[in-house]
Amino acid sequence: MKKRFSYVFLCIGVFTLLGCTDAGTEIGSSFERRQMLENMAQNLIVPAYQDLQRSVNNLKTSADNFAQNPTGRNLTDLQTAWEEAYIQWQYANAYNFGPAGEEGIRKGLIEEIGTFPVSTTKIENTITNNNANFNDFNRDARGFLTLEYLIFDLNNDDAAILSKFSSQNRKVFLQAVASDIKTRVDAVVAAWNTSYREQFVSNTGTDVGSSTAQLYNEFVKSFESIKNFKAGLPLGRRPGQLQAEPTRVEAYYSGKSRQMMVEHLKAIENIWYGRSKSGQDGVGFKEYLASVEGGAALITATEAQWAVVMNSLNAVPQTPRIAIQIQNTPAAFDNLHTELQRHTRFFKSDMSSLLGIAITFSSGDGD
């Protein structure tokens, strides 16, 4: 008994320095985490934020043009700019740490500009009172999905949208929301372009707060946001829900829920493979797993289940919009949620165990 206690104590003592599997085997000792972090920064993270910044700049310009001259043509341009920017956001929203992380009352970037569903009551009250404040706790009344509510109509009735923008307060609020998104994205890009990049690639440990741990945790959290909020929430699968709530899909007003989920899943896949958006392969979590005992088997199992997830996604019809599918023909979307649920263990518990990286967030569903 004394010998066993000594062994366990030794393993716990060195865990944060070296990392141990359940069997006590040192893991990841030959893997160059700096190489993975450099690839992630150079080929995935910085390009994702730069693409987002370019598209957000265009979005801000389009919002200003529309506010100054609310014509049908300018509304179409604004809707197109929103769609492009929100697609780019799908490739950046997993990097919610460092300059995109929490600080003081500021939450992570994903909560500040990506919260859904939005509160139409808060939005309309803010417009009526002309008292926009983007430094409060009303994150469901700002960001991309608030813009979406303002510029899309569930019945594609652009005339109805244009009529609402006879209000000067509405024009002012539209510009303010777009400006707030731009300010927040600009700050994150500026940090990555200066000091934070070197800080990220040089922090090569696996302890809590290290770059690898932050990247891994946000990767898993981003994957789970698809399962829990983009699929589970509108399907009524979240704790405490008694029925489906189709109006709580992402991108409810534009009807682009499926499209955004496709892009988001591509982004998750790219991170796991260490692959750029253009398809350039690099060092990612797959290579990290391949360097540890048991990693090859987990890679095989992960890729097999991921193929099932993508087949399930492809089986979800492109029309009608997801909210209507949930109401009338939910089987395909429900099956996608089931396969995402089955995949969770591969990205989360199994991968965390083999790499010796602690999960430091709670998804609230026991996974």
Coordinates of all heavy atoms in Angstrom, one line a residue, residues 37-103:
L37 N 1.8 25.7 -32.0 CA 1.3 27.1 -31.7 C 1.6 28.1 -32.8 O 0.8 28.9 -33.2 CB 1.8 27.5 -30.4 CG 1.4 26.7 -29.1 CD1 2.1 27.2 -27.9 CD2 -0.1 26.8 -29.0
E38 N 2.9 27.9 -33.4 CA 3.3 28.8 -34.5 C 2.4 28.6 -35.7 O 2.0 29.6 -36.3 CB 4.7 28.6 -34.8 CG 5.7 29.2 -33.8 CD 7.1 28.9 -34.2 OE1 7.4 27.9 -34.9 OE2 8.0 29.6 -33.7
N39 N 2.1 27.3 -36.0 CA 1.2 27.1 -37.1 C -0.2 27.6 -36.9 O -0.8 28.2 -37.8 CB 1.1 25.6 -37.4 CG 0.1 25.2 -38.5 OD1 0.3 25.7 -39.6 ND2 -0.9 24.4 -38.2
M40 N -0.7 27.4 -35.7 CA -2.0 27.9 -35.3 C -2.1 29.5 -35.5 O -3.0 30.0 -36.0 CB -2.4 27.5 -33.9 CG -2.7 26.0 -33.8 SD -4.2 25.6 -34.6 CE -4.2 23.8 -34.2
A41 N -1.1 30.1 -34.9 CA -1.1 31.6 -35.0 C -0.9 32.1 -36.4 O -1.7 33.0 -36.8 CB 0.1 32.1 -34.1
Q42 N 0.1 31.5 -37.1 CA 0.4 32.1 -38.5 C -0.7 31.7 -39.5 O -1.0 32.5 -40.4 CB 1.7 31.5 -38.9 CG 2.2 32.0 -40.3 CD 3.6 31.6 -40.6 OE1 4.4 31.4 -39.7 NE2 3.9 31.6 -41.9
N43 N -1.2 30.5 -39.5 CA -2.0 30.0 -40.6 C -3.5 29.9 -40.3 O -4.3 29.7 -41.2 CB -1.5 28.6 -41.1 CG -0.1 28.7 -41.7 OD1 0.2 29.6 -42.4 ND2 0.8 27.8 -41.3
L44 N -3.8 30.0 -39.0 CA -5.3 29.9 -38.7 C -5.8 31.1 -37.9 O -6.7 31.8 -38.4 CB -5.5 28.6 -37.8 CG -5.6 27.3 -38.6 CD1 -4.2 26.7 -38.7 CD2 -6.5 26.3 -37.9
I45 N -5.2 31.4 -36.8 CA -5.8 32.5 -35.9 C -5.6 33.9 -36.5 O -6.7 34.6 -36.6 CB -5.1 32.4 -34.5 CG1 -5.3 31.0 -33.9 CG2 -5.8 33.5 -33.6 CD1 -4.6 30.8 -32.5
V46 N -4.4 34.3 -36.8 CA -4.2 35.6 -37.3 C -5.0 35.8 -38.6 O -5.7 36.9 -38.8 CB -2.7 36.0 -37.4 CG1 -2.5 37.3 -38.1 CG2 -2.1 36.0 -36.0
P47 N -4.9 34.9 -39.6 CA -5.6 35.1 -40.8 C -7.2 35.1 -40.6 O -7.9 35.9 -41.2 CB -5.3 33.9 -41.6 CG -3.9 33.5 -41.2 CD -3.9 33.8 -39.7
A48 N -7.6 34.3 -39.6 CA -9.1 34.4 -39.3 C -9.5 35.7 -38.8 O -10.5 36.3 -39.2 CB -9.4 33.3 -38.3
Y49 N -8.7 36.3 -37.9 CA -9.1 37.6 -37.4 C -8.9 38.7 -38.4 O -9.7 39.7 -38.5 CB -8.2 37.9 -36.1 CG -8.9 37.4 -34.8 CD1 -8.1 36.6 -34.0 CD2 -10.2 37.7 -34.5 CE1 -8.7 36.1 -32.8 CE2 -10.7 37.2 -33.3 CZ -10.0 36.4 -32.5 OH -10.6 35.9 -31.3
Q50 N -7.9 38.6 -39.3 CA -7.7 39.6 -40.3 C -8.8 39.6 -41.3 O -9.3 40.6 -41.8 CB -6.3 39.4 -41.0 CG -5.2 39.7 -40.1 CD -3.8 39.4 -40.7 OE1 -3.7 38.6 -41.6 NE2 -2.8 40.1 -40.2
D51 N -9.3 38.3 -41.7 CA -10.4 38.2 -42.6 C -11.7 38.8 -42.0 O -12.5 39.5 -42.6 CB -10.7 36.8 -43.0 CG -9.6 36.2 -43.9 OD1 -8.8 37.0 -44.5 OD2 -9.5 35.0 -44.1
L52 N -11.8 38.5 -40.7 CA -13.0 39.1 -39.9 C -12.9 40.6 -39.9 O -13.9 41.3 -40.2 CB -13.0 38.5 -38.5 CG -14.1 39.1 -37.6 CD1 -15.5 38.7 -38.1 CD2 -13.9 38.6 -36.2
Q53 N -11.7 41.2 -39.7 CA -11.6 42.6 -39.6 C -11.9 43.2 -41.0 O -12.6 44.3 -41.0 CB -10.2 43.0 -39.2 CG -9.9 44.5 -39.0 CD -8.5 44.8 -38.7 OE1 -7.6 44.3 -39.3 NE2 -8.3 45.7 -37.7
R54 N -11.4 42.7 -42.1 CA -11.7 43.2 -43.4 C -13.3 43.2 -43.6 O -13.8 44.2 -44.2 CB -11.0 42.4 -44.5 CG -9.6 42.8 -44.7 CD -9.0 42.2 -45.9 NE -8.8 40.7 -45.8 CZ -7.7 40.2 -45.3 NH1 -6.7 40.9 -44.9 NH2 -7.6 38.8 -45.2
S55 N -13.9 42.1 -43.3 CA -15.3 42.0 -43.6 C -16.1 42.9 -42.6 O -17.2 43.4 -43.1 CB -15.8 40.5 -43.5 OG -15.6 40.0 -42.2
V56 N -15.7 43.1 -41.4 CA -16.4 44.0 -40.5 C -16.2 45.4 -40.9 O -17.1 46.2 -40.8 CB -15.9 43.8 -39.1 CG1 -16.3 44.9 -38.1 CG2 -16.4 42.4 -38.5
N57 N -15.0 45.8 -41.5 CA -14.9 47.1 -42.0 C -15.9 47.4 -43.1 O -16.5 48.5 -43.2 CB -13.4 47.3 -42.5 CG -12.4 47.4 -41.4 OD1 -12.8 47.7 -40.3 ND2 -11.2 47.2 -41.8
N58 N -16.0 46.4 -44.0 CA -17.0 46.5 -45.1 C -18.5 46.6 -44.5 O -19.3 47.4 -45.0 CB -16.9 45.3 -46.0 CG -17.8 45.5 -47.2 OD1 -17.8 46.6 -47.9 ND2 -18.5 44.4 -47.6
L59 N -18.7 45.8 -43.5 CA -20.0 45.9 -42.8 C -20.3 47.3 -42.2 O -21.4 47.8 -42.4 CB -20.1 44.8 -41.7 CG -21.3 44.7 -40.9 CD1 -22.5 44.4 -41.7 CD2 -21.2 43.7 -39.7
K60 N -19.3 47.8 -41.6 CA -19.5 49.2 -41.0 C -19.8 50.2 -42.1 O -20.7 51.1 -42.0 CB -18.2 49.6 -40.2 CG -18.2 51.0 -39.6 CD -19.3 51.2 -38.6 CE -19.2 52.5 -37.8 NZ -19.3 53.7 -38.6
T61 N -19.0 50.1 -43.2 CA -19.2 51.1 -44.3 C -20.6 50.9 -44.9 O -21.3 51.9 -45.2 CB -18.2 50.8 -45.4 OG1 -16.9 51.0 -44.8 CG2 -18.4 51.7 -46.6
S62 N -21.0 49.6 -45.0 CA -22.4 49.4 -45.6 C -23.5 49.9 -44.7 O -24.5 50.4 -45.1 CB -22.5 47.9 -45.9 OG -21.6 47.4 -46.8
A63 N -23.3 49.7 -43.4 CA -24.3 50.2 -42.4 C -24.3 51.7 -42.5 O -25.4 52.3 -42.4 CB -23.9 49.8 -41.0
D64 N -23.2 52.4 -42.6 CA -23.2 53.9 -42.7 C -23.9 54.3 -44.0 O -24.7 55.3 -43.9 CB -21.8 54.4 -42.7 CG -21.1 54.3 -41.3 OD1 -21.8 54.1 -40.3 OD2 -19.9 54.3 -41.2
N65 N -23.6 53.7 -45.1 CA -24.2 54.0 -46.3 C -25.8 53.9 -46.3 O -26.5 54.7 -46.7 CB -23.7 53.1 -47.5 CG -22.3 53.5 -47.8 OD1 -21.8 54.6 -47.5 ND2 -21.6 52.6 -48.5
F66 N -26.2 52.8 -45.7 CA -27.6 52.5 -45.6 C -28.3 53.5 -44.7 O -29.4 54.0 -45.0 CB -27.9 51.1 -45.1 CG -29.3 50.8 -44.9 CD1 -30.2 50.6 -46.0 CD2 -29.9 50.7 -43.6 CE1 -31.5 50.3 -45.8 CE2 -31.2 50.4 -43.4 CZ -32.0 50.2 -44.5
A67 N -27.7 53.8 -43.5 CA -28.2 54.8 -42.6 C -28.4 56.2 -43.2 O -29.4 56.9 -43.0 CB -27.4 54.9 -41.3
Q68 N -27.4 56.5 -44.1 CA -27.5 57.8 -44.7 C -28.4 57.9 -45.9 O -29.0 58.9 -46.2 CB -26.1 58.2 -45.2 CG -25.1 58.5 -44.0 CD -23.6 58.4 -44.5 OE1 -23.3 58.4 -45.7 NE2 -22.7 58.4 -43.5
N69 N -28.6 56.7 -46.5 CA -29.5 56.6 -47.7 C -30.2 55.2 -47.7 O -29.7 54.3 -48.4 CB -28.6 56.8 -49.0 CG -29.5 56.9 -50.2 OD1 -30.7 57.1 -50.1 ND2 -28.9 56.8 -51.4
P70 N -31.2 55.1 -47.0 CA -31.9 53.7 -46.8 C -32.7 53.3 -48.0 O -34.0 53.3 -48.0 CB -32.8 53.9 -45.5 CG -33.1 55.4 -45.5 CD -31.9 56.1 -46.1
T71 N -32.0 52.9 -49.0 CA -32.7 52.4 -50.3 C -32.6 50.9 -50.3 O -31.9 50.2 -49.5 CB -32.0 52.9 -51.5 OG1 -30.6 52.3 -51.5 CG2 -31.9 54.4 -51.5
G72 N -33.4 50.3 -51.2 CA -33.4 48.8 -51.3 C -32.1 48.3 -51.7 O -31.6 47.3 -51.2
R73 N -31.4 49.0 -52.6 CA -30.0 48.6 -53.1 C -29.0 48.6 -51.9 O -28.3 47.7 -51.7 CB -29.6 49.5 -54.2 CG -28.1 49.3 -54.6 CD -27.9 47.9 -55.3 NE -26.6 47.7 -55.7 CZ -26.1 48.1 -56.9 NH1 -26.9 48.6 -57.8 NH2 -24.8 47.8 -57.2
N74 N -29.1 49.7 -51.1 CA -28.2 49.7 -50.0 C -28.5 48.7 -48.9 O -27.6 48.2 -48.2 CB -28.2 51.1 -49.4 CG -27.4 52.1 -50.3 OD1 -26.6 51.7 -51.1 ND2 -27.6 53.4 -50.1
L75 N -29.8 48.4 -48.8 CA -30.2 47.3 -47.8 C -29.6 46.0 -48.3 O -29.0 45.2 -47.5 CB -31.7 47.2 -47.7 CG -32.2 46.1 -46.8 CD1 -31.7 46.2 -45.4 CD2 -33.7 46.1 -46.8
T76 N -29.7 45.7 -49.6 CA -29.2 44.4 -50.1 C -27.6 44.4 -49.9 O -27.1 43.3 -49.5 CB -29.5 44.3 -51.6 OG1 -30.9 44.3 -51.8 CG2 -28.9 43.0 -52.2
D77 N -27.0 45.5 -50.1 CA -25.5 45.5 -49.9 C -25.2 45.3 -48.4 O -24.2 44.5 -48.1 CB -24.9 46.9 -50.3 CG -24.9 47.1 -51.8 OD1 -25.1 46.1 -52.6 OD2 -24.8 48.3 -52.3
L78 N -26.0 45.9 -47.6 CA -25.8 45.7 -46.1 C -26.0 44.2 -45.7 O -25.2 43.6 -44.9 CB -26.7 46.6 -45.3 CG -26.6 46.5 -43.8 CD1 -25.2 46.7 -43.3 CD2 -27.6 47.6 -43.2
Q79 N -27.1 43.6 -46.2 CA -27.4 42.2 -45.9 C -26.2 41.3 -46.4 O -25.8 40.4 -45.7 CB -28.7 41.8 -46.6 CG -29.9 42.5 -45.9 CD -31.2 42.3 -46.7 OE1 -31.1 42.1 -47.9 NE2 -32.3 42.4 -46.1
T80 N -25.7 41.6 -47.6 CA -24.6 40.8 -48.1 C -23.3 41.0 -47.3 O -22.6 40.0 -47.0 CB -24.3 41.2 -49.6 OG1 -25.5 41.0 -50.4 CG2 -23.1 40.4 -50.2
A81 N -23.1 42.2 -46.8 CA -21.9 42.5 -46.0 C -22.0 41.8 -44.7 O -21.1 41.2 -44.1 CB -21.7 44.0 -45.8
W82 N -23.3 41.7 -44.1 CA -23.5 41.0 -42.8 C -23.2 39.6 -43.0 O -22.5 38.9 -42.1 CB -24.9 41.3 -42.3 CG -25.2 40.5 -41.1 CD1 -25.0 40.9 -39.8 CD2 -25.7 39.1 -40.9 NE1 -25.3 39.9 -38.9 CE2 -25.7 38.8 -39.6 CE3 -26.0 38.2 -41.9 CZ2 -26.1 37.6 -39.1 CZ3 -26.4 36.9 -41.4 CH2 -26.5 36.6 -40.0
E83 N -23.7 39.0 -44.1 CA -23.5 37.5 -44.3 C -22.1 37.2 -44.4 O -21.6 36.2 -43.8 CB -24.3 37.1 -45.5 CG -24.1 35.6 -45.8 CD -24.9 35.2 -47.1 OE1 -25.7 36.0 -47.6 OE2 -24.7 34.1 -47.6
E84 N -21.3 38.0 -45.1 CA -19.9 37.7 -45.3 C -19.1 37.9 -44.0 O -18.3 37.0 -43.6 CB -19.3 38.7 -46.3 CG -17.8 38.5 -46.5 CD -17.3 37.2 -46.9 OE1 -18.1 36.4 -47.5 OE2 -16.1 36.8 -46.6
A85 N -19.4 38.9 -43.2 CA -18.8 39.1 -42.0 C -19.1 38.0 -41.0 O -18.2 37.5 -40.2 CB -19.1 40.5 -41.4
Y86 N -20.4 37.6 -41.0 CA -20.8 36.5 -40.0 C -20.2 35.2 -40.4 O -19.9 34.3 -39.5 CB -22.3 36.5 -39.9 CG -22.7 35.8 -38.6 CD1 -22.2 36.3 -37.4 CD2 -23.6 34.7 -38.6 CE1 -22.6 35.7 -36.2 CE2 -24.0 34.1 -37.4 CZ -23.5 34.6 -36.2 OH -23.9 34.0 -35.0
I87 N -19.9 34.9 -41.7 CA -19.2 33.7 -42.1 C -17.8 33.8 -41.6 O -17.3 32.8 -41.0 CB -19.2 33.6 -43.6 CG1 -20.6 33.1 -44.1 CG2 -18.2 32.5 -44.1 CD1 -20.7 33.1 -45.6
Q88 N -17.1 34.9 -41.7 CA -15.7 35.0 -41.2 C -15.7 34.8 -39.7 O -14.7 34.3 -39.2 CB -15.1 36.4 -41.6 CG -15.1 36.6 -43.1 CD -14.3 35.4 -43.9 OE1 -13.4 34.8 -43.3 NE2 -14.7 35.2 -45.1
W89 N -16.7 35.3 -39.0 CA -16.8 35.1 -37.6 C -16.8 33.6 -37.2 O -16.2 33.3 -36.1 CB -18.0 35.8 -37.0 CG -18.3 35.6 -35.6 CD1 -19.5 35.0 -35.1 CD2 -17.5 35.9 -34.4 NE1 -19.4 34.9 -33.7 CE2 -18.2 35.4 -33.3 CE3 -16.2 36.4 -34.3 CZ2 -17.7 35.5 -32.0 CZ3 -15.7 36.5 -33.0 CH2 -16.4 36.1 -31.9
Q90 N -17.4 32.8 -38.0 CA -17.4 31.4 -37.7 C -16.0 30.8 -37.6 O -15.8 29.8 -36.9 CB -18.2 30.6 -38.7 CG -19.7 31.1 -39.0 CD -20.5 31.1 -37.7 OE1 -20.4 30.2 -36.9 NE2 -21.2 32.2 -37.5
Y91 N -15.1 31.4 -38.3 CA -13.7 30.9 -38.3 C -12.8 31.5 -37.2 O -11.7 31.1 -37.1 CB -13.1 31.2 -39.7 CG -13.6 30.2 -40.8 CD1 -14.7 30.6 -41.5 CD2 -13.0 29.0 -41.0 CE1 -15.3 29.7 -42.4 CE2 -13.5 28.1 -42.0 CZ -14.7 28.5 -42.7 OH -15.2 27.6 -43.6
A92 N -13.4 32.5 -36.6 CA -12.6 33.2 -35.5 C -13.1 33.0 -34.1 O -12.4 33.3 -33.1 CB -12.6 34.7 -35.8
N93 N -14.4 32.5 -34.0 CA -15.0 32.5 -32.7 C -14.5 31.4 -31.7 O -14.9 31.4 -30.6 CB -16.5 32.4 -32.8 CG -17.0 31.1 -33.3 OD1 -16.4 30.0 -33.1 ND2 -18.1 31.1 -34.0
A94 N -13.6 30.6 -32.2 CA -13.0 29.6 -31.3 C -11.7 30.1 -30.6 O -11.2 29.4 -29.7 CB -12.6 28.3 -32.1
Y95 N -11.3 31.3 -31.0 CA -10.0 31.9 -30.4 C -10.4 32.9 -29.4 O -9.9 34.1 -29.4 CB -9.2 32.4 -31.5 CG -9.0 31.4 -32.6 CD1 -9.3 31.7 -34.0 CD2 -8.5 30.1 -32.4 CE1 -9.1 30.8 -35.0 CE2 -8.3 29.2 -33.4 CZ -8.7 29.5 -34.7 OH -8.5 28.6 -35.7
N96 N -11.2 32.5 -28.4 CA -11.8 33.4 -27.5 C -10.9 33.5 -26.2 O -11.4 33.3 -25.1 CB -13.2 32.9 -27.1 CG -14.2 34.0 -26.8 OD1 -14.2 35.0 -27.4 ND2 -14.9 33.8 -25.7
F97 N -9.6 33.8 -26.4 CA -8.7 33.9 -25.3 C -7.7 35.1 -25.6 O -7.8 35.7 -26.7 CB -8.0 32.6 -25.1 CG -7.3 32.1 -26.3 CD1 -6.1 32.5 -26.8 CD2 -8.0 31.1 -27.1 CE1 -5.5 32.0 -27.9 CE2 -7.4 30.6 -28.3 CZ -6.2 31.1 -28.7
G98 N -6.8 35.3 -24.6 CA -5.9 36.4 -24.9 C -6.6 37.7 -25.0 O -7.5 38.0 -24.2
P99 N -6.3 38.5 -26.1 CA -7.0 39.8 -26.2 C -8.5 39.6 -26.5 O -9.2 40.6 -26.4 CB -6.3 40.4 -27.5 CG -5.7 39.2 -28.2 CD -5.3 38.2 -27.1
A100 N -9.0 38.4 -26.9 CA -10.4 38.2 -27.1 C -11.1 37.6 -25.8 O -12.3 37.3 -25.9 CB -10.6 37.2 -28.3
G101 N -10.3 37.5 -24.8 CA -10.8 36.9 -23.5 C -11.5 37.9 -22.6 O -11.6 39.0 -22.9
E102 N -11.9 37.4 -21.4 CA -12.5 38.2 -20.5 C -11.6 39.2 -19.8 O -10.4 38.8 -19.6 CB -13.2 37.4 -19.4 CG -14.3 36.5 -20.0 CD -15.1 35.7 -18.9 OE1 -15.0 36.1 -17.7 OE2 -15.8 34.8 -19.2
E103 N -12.0 40.3 -19.4 CA -11.2 41.3 -18.6 C -12.2 42.3 -17.9 O -12.9 43.0 -18.6 CB -10.3 42.1 -19.5 CG -9.4 43.0 -18.7 CD -8.4 43.7 -19.6 OE1 -7.9 43.1 -20.6 OE2 -8.1 44.9 -19.3

